[in-house]
Amino acid sequence: MTAIILSDLKRRLFTEGLLDEPTIDDGFVSGRARFEAAGNDVTVHVDPDFDDADDDDFDVSGLLEMVSRVLAFPEARWRTVLDRIAEEIEDAAGDPDAIAEKTDLRLDLEVHSITVLPDAALLSFVAPRQFPESWIRAQLDDELEIEDVFVDEKLEGTPS
């Protein structure tokens, strides 16, 4: 049943114009999409999160709506998100020597990928000048408000 849901999700993400050339891999549907708020294309991973739902009552339409809401993120609100991420990272860094190059983090942050779940989204950023060896991640709740910000070390095979 899971394979049928993933196939349906893939088909609908494509036919509704949300993802270009979606593929199924390891329980996700992934593809490229335009993220207007940031002004670039990103990889979008759609995670049905089957652990929290029964196949019989899985809400594909709700997940599609969440993908649509994330991709339609308002540009003005996007600037607020970038400000908050930068503030949290700068506060957490504490030691200015831990930062590779001192520039405004807001100017260095570039969204690389978005993982969409039924009730959350995870934004993955690169910051090549200040954090060249790390991913900066921001978890958004179902209202697309920042729930958590953290830094992950880039390791071989670490998902984007």
Side-chain angles (χ1 to χ4, degrees):
M1 187 62 125
T2 301
I4 293 170
I5 293 171
L6 285 170
S7 292
D8 183 43
L9 179 60
K10 175 186 167 191
R11 180 187 57 77
R12 291 183 60 190
L13 284 163
F14 180 74
T15 59
E16 294 184 26
L18 294 170
L19 296 184
D20 292 333
E21 300 179 24
T23 60
I24 298 172
D25 186 35
D26 201 27
F28 291 80
V29 177
S30 299
R32 299 286 291 170
R34 183 73 182 162
F35 189 54
E36 287 298 333
N40 64 316
D41 292 343
V42 297
T43 299
V44 178
H45 307 286
V46 182
D47 181 356
D49 197 20
F50 290 119
D51 295 338
D52 290 344
D54 292 330
D55 285 352
D56 294 337
D57 59 325
F58 186 79
D59 184 12
V60 171
S61 294
L63 187 54
L64 291 169
E65 195 267 326
M66 184 67 168
V67 171
S68 181
R69 286 179 45 227
V70 169
L71 292 175
F73 209 93
E75 188 175 341
R77 192 160 158 219
W78 180 245
R79 296 287 159 223
T80 302
V81 165
L82 293 178
D83 287 343
R84 172 105 183 273
I85 291 168
E87 289 167 9
E88 289 202 24
I89 297 295
E90 289 165 354
D91 289 347
D95 178 11
D97 294 332
I99 299 172
E101 183 179 316
K102 289 149 186 73
T103 78
D104 186 345
L105 182 56
R106 290 157 193 82
L107 301 175
D108 198 22
L109 283 173
E110 181 181 326
V111 65
H112 179 270
S113 65
I114 301 171
T115 301
V116 180
L117 296 107
D119 60 354
L122 181 67
L123 308 173
S124 296
F125 295 85
V126 293
R129 291 186 297 266
Q130 290 195 39
F131 295 94
E133 304 300 320
S134 302
W135 292 110
I136 296 177
R137 316 259 195 202
Q139 183 174 338
L140 306 179
D141 63 18
D142 61 346
E143 297 297 319
L144 303 181
E145 297 293 332
I146 292 180
E147 205 169 82
D148 194 15
V149 175
F150 52 98
V151 178
D152 278 340
E153 186 177 346
K154 285 183 184 173
L155 300 173
E156 196 67 33
T158 301
S160 58

